[in-house]
């Protein structure tokens, strides 16, 4: 069991009108074929992201009633099965970031690049990291959301990005096409390991 | 010698500061609005930016002369280039572009912008033409043209590369066309 570690399987950005803005899907390690490929199809990920929207709404209502949750971090939204879990974050403007974590998405014996550097921290996290939902410590996702928010802010600062086109009141709107934003998402999704300090 | 003096002058000049994001976002809005107004006719957008810059330059030179405490004229175009890069840009944008690629006759040089505050965050529209046609910071060409015209120099300025387009550097080429003689008032016969 300790031969696998959590990794990010999918990053989703959802607009204020619950319209999809961006979806990045990442490879997971498949021990049966010792290869890397996405654990689900794009359609399944898309459905998974949609299903988190109800949780977002319920939570934000609960937050409004109790006056809590001002950090925007919604924590664990949805533990899909023993491997997949969805974590959420909502900005005050209603933009939602969803991180789908695959609890066994990364091979622990890989010693290259980012993976190797965080060796010490990883073995700690791996100890309890086998059951979905409880394997990650509270706030473990904060660094991911921070990085996603930073990338989103950078996108918004681009004068040629029109927020209205992307989240119109009616209709589905455009998706994010920025290459830089896509690269940022890729860097975040591939660079994250439990315990990493910054992305 | 002259170079040192220019950079000292640029450093010493104290000026009021304004939030960088405000400038960047304002300029960005202008450019993207122009692109919309002219239906993404980027050649026309470049022209408009240059024209706007020209009008800014005509006024800005006065401010520059007051703030930089210049006491005498530049004796040659090389000195002018130093003052533009190390005093002018330093005062108004807090950057110091590098001067390079002089022609032998000393009438043409390049300003290489290692940083360009206008272009922070910017990603050109991905329509296949903006990358080849739009000079995002073209307003700067106009500013130089306008400002120098007010001090009796007719110049031509244009960008030849831009990191936004994927080039390695952002480079503006400036050519001195002629010194304008002070025009005599029309004689009344």
């Amino acid at each position: 069991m300790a031969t696998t570690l959590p990794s990010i399987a999918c990053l989703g950005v959802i607009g204020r009108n619950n319209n999809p803005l961006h979806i990045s899907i990442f490879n997971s390690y498949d021990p049966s074929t010792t290869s890397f490929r996405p654990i689900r199809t794009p359609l399944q990920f898309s459905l998974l992201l949609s299903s988190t929207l109800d949780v977002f709404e319920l939570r934000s209502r609960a937050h409004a009633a109790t006056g809590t949750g001002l950090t925007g971090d919604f924590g664990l939204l949805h533990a899909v099965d023993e491997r997949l879990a969805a974590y959420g974050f909502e900005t005050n403007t209603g933009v939602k970031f969803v991180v789908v974590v695959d609890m066994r998405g990364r091979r622990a014996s890989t010693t290259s690049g980012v993976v190797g550097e965080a060796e010490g921290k990883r073995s700690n996290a791996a100890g309890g990291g086998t059951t979905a939902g409880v394997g990650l410590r509270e706030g473990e996702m904060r660094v991911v959301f921070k990085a996603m928010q930073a990338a989103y802010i950078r996108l918004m600062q681009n004068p040629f990005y029109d927020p209205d086109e992307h989240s119109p009141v009616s209709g589905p709107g455009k998706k994010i096409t920025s290459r830089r934003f896509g690269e940022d998402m890729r860097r975040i999704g591939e660079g994250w390991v439990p315990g990493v300090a910054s992305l | 010698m002259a170079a040192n003096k220019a950079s000292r002058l640029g450093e010493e000049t104290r000026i009021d500061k304004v939030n960088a994001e405000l400038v960047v976002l304002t300029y960005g809005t202008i450019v993207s609005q122009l692109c919309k107004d002219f239906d993404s006719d980027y050649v026309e957008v470049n022209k408009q930016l240059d024209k706007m810059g020209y009008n800014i330059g005509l006024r800005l030179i006065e401010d520059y002369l007051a703030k930089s405490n210049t006491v005498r004229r530049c004796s040659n175009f090389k000195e002018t280039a130093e003052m533009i890069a190390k005093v002018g840009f330093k005062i108004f944008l807090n950057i110091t572009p590098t001067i390079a690629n002089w022609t032998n006759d000393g009438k043409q040089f390049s300003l290489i912008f290692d940083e360009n505050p206008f272009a922070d965050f910017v990603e050109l529209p991905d329509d296949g033409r903006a990358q080849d046609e739009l000079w995002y910071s073209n307003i700067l060409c106009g500013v130089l043209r306008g400002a120098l015209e007010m001090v009796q120099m007719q110049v031509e300025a244009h960008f030849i590369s831009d990191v936004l387009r994927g080039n390695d550097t952002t480079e503006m080429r400036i050519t001195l066309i002629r010194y304008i003689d002070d025009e005599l008032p029309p004689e009344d016969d």
Side-chain angles (χ1 to χ4, degrees):
Chain A
M1 268 310 190
T3 55
T4 54
L5 286 171
S7 77
I8 290 177
C10 171
L11 291 177
V13 182
I14 301 166
R16 60 189 308 167
N17 300 317
N18 291 342
N19 51 318
L21 284 177
H22 177 90
I23 300 178
S24 279
I25 295 169
F26 302 94
N27 288 333
S28 289
Y29 176 62
D30 182 355
S32 61
T33 58
T34 64
S35 60
F36 288 89
R37 57 189 180 80
I39 182 173
R40 298 283 157 90
T41 64
L43 178 63
Q44 283 171 321
F45 274 121
S46 176
L47 291 171
L48 182 58
L49 292 180
S50 307
S51 72
T52 62
L53 289 174
D54 289 335
V55 191
F56 267 112
E57 204 185 317
L58 283 173
R59 293 265 171 98
S60 63
R61 235 183 265 158
H63 283 159
T66 56
T68 53
L70 291 174
T71 57
D73 198 339
F74 279 44
L76 178 68
L77 298 174
H78 186 25
V80 185
D81 55 22
E82 73 272 24
R83 283 190 73 165
L84 288 183
Y87 293 79
F89 181 98
E90 186 177 32
T91 71
N92 285 344
T93 55
V95 180
K96 300 162 194 72
F97 302 131
V98 183
V99 181
V100 181
V101 178
D102 179 354
M103 290 299 162
R104 282 184 255 141
R106 199 186 291 271
R107 194 167 45 161
S109 52
T110 332
T111 46
S112 64
V114 193
V115 185
E117 280 170 32
E119 198 78 54
K121 286 176 189 160
R122 280 191 303 120
S123 44
N124 290 340
T130 45
T131 27
V134 295
L136 292 172
R137 268 167 290 146
E138 171 85 24
E140 188 78 87
M141 283 294 131
R142 199 164 297 148
V143 62
V144 181
F145 292 132
K146 270 267 164 303
M148 287 178 82
Q149 196 177 12
Y152 186 72
I153 291 169
R154 221 159 68 142
L155 175 78
M156 294 293 282
Q157 305 264 41
N158 177 10
F160 295 108
Y161 176 83
D162 186 350
D164 282 345
E165 272 180 5
H166 290 75
S167 293
V169 186
S170 59
K174 282 198 207 164
K175 287 198 160 202
I176 294 171
T177 52
S178 158
R179 188 147 34 88
R180 191 158 65 184
F181 187 77
E183 281 165 12
D184 280 341
M185 289 300 117
R186 195 133 289 281
R187 178 179 50 79
I188 295 166
E190 286 168 358
W192 179 81
V193 284
V196 72
S198 69
L199 281 168
Chain B
M1 184 60 187
N4 283 337
K5 192 179 152 263
S7 45
R8 210 184 56 233
L9 200 55
E11 290 293 339
E12 282 170 356
T13 313
R14 287 270 148 259
I15 34 110
D16 303 328
K17 294 195 171 62
V18 59
N19 183 289
E21 262 92 17
L22 176 68
V23 179
V24 174
L25 291 179
T26 309
Y27 182 67
T29 312
I30 291 173
V31 180
S32 75
Q33 189 61 45
L34 280 174
C35 291
K36 259 182 229 150
D37 290 352
F38 289 98
D39 278 332
S40 300
D41 179 352
Y42 297 119
V43 178
E44 187 59 31
V45 173
N46 290 340
K47 245 184 247 165
Q48 293 295 326
L49 285 173
D50 185 85
K51 211 186 273 176
M52 288 160 81
Y54 177 77
N55 287 319
I56 293 173
L58 297 180
R59 299 146 217 254
L60 206 60
I61 184 70
E62 218 58 68
D63 201 25
Y64 163 84
L65 292 172
K67 279 178 176 156
S68 64
N69 296 315
T70 36
V71 285
R72 58 184 187 83
R73 279 175 181 278
C74 296
S75 53
N76 55 37
F77 197 50
K78 284 205 169 163
E79 214 173 299
T80 308
E82 291 281 341
M83 296 303 272
I84 291 171
K86 290 182 176 145
V87 185
F89 274 101
K90 179 76 187 165
I91 291 180
F92 293 113
L93 286 179
N94 197 24
I95 56 171
T96 313
T98 316
I99 302 165
N101 304 340
W102 277 100
T103 50
N104 289 333
D105 60 1
K107 285 192 170 173
Q108 199 178 75
F109 68 97
S110 291
L111 287 176
I112 298 172
F113 296 84
D114 302 316
E115 47 175 343
N116 178 1
F118 283 156
D120 285 349
F121 320 115
V122 176
E123 221 172 325
L124 294 181
D126 198 10
D127 59 2
R129 290 186 302 116
Q131 300 270 345
D132 302 319
E133 293 172 11
L134 180 64
W135 293 113
Y136 183 79
S137 310
N138 215 38
I139 201 165
L140 295 176
C141 299
V143 172
L144 287 183
R145 190 162 62 86
L148 290 175
E149 189 181 293
M150 292 302 275
V151 287
Q152 281 81 47
M153 271 171 271
Q154 190 183 353
V155 298
E156 197 279 325
H158 62 274
F159 277 100
I160 56 172
S161 67
D162 191 338
V163 284
L164 289 181
R165 292 185 173 199
N167 302 127
D168 293 333
T169 52
T170 303
E171 182 172 347
M172 191 204 288
R173 200 86 185 125
I174 295 150
T175 315
L176 175 67
I177 298 172
R178 65 185 178 106
Y179 285 99
I180 308 163
D181 299 320
D182 282 332
E183 277 169 39
L184 297 170
E187 285 175 46
D188 27 62
D189 289 322

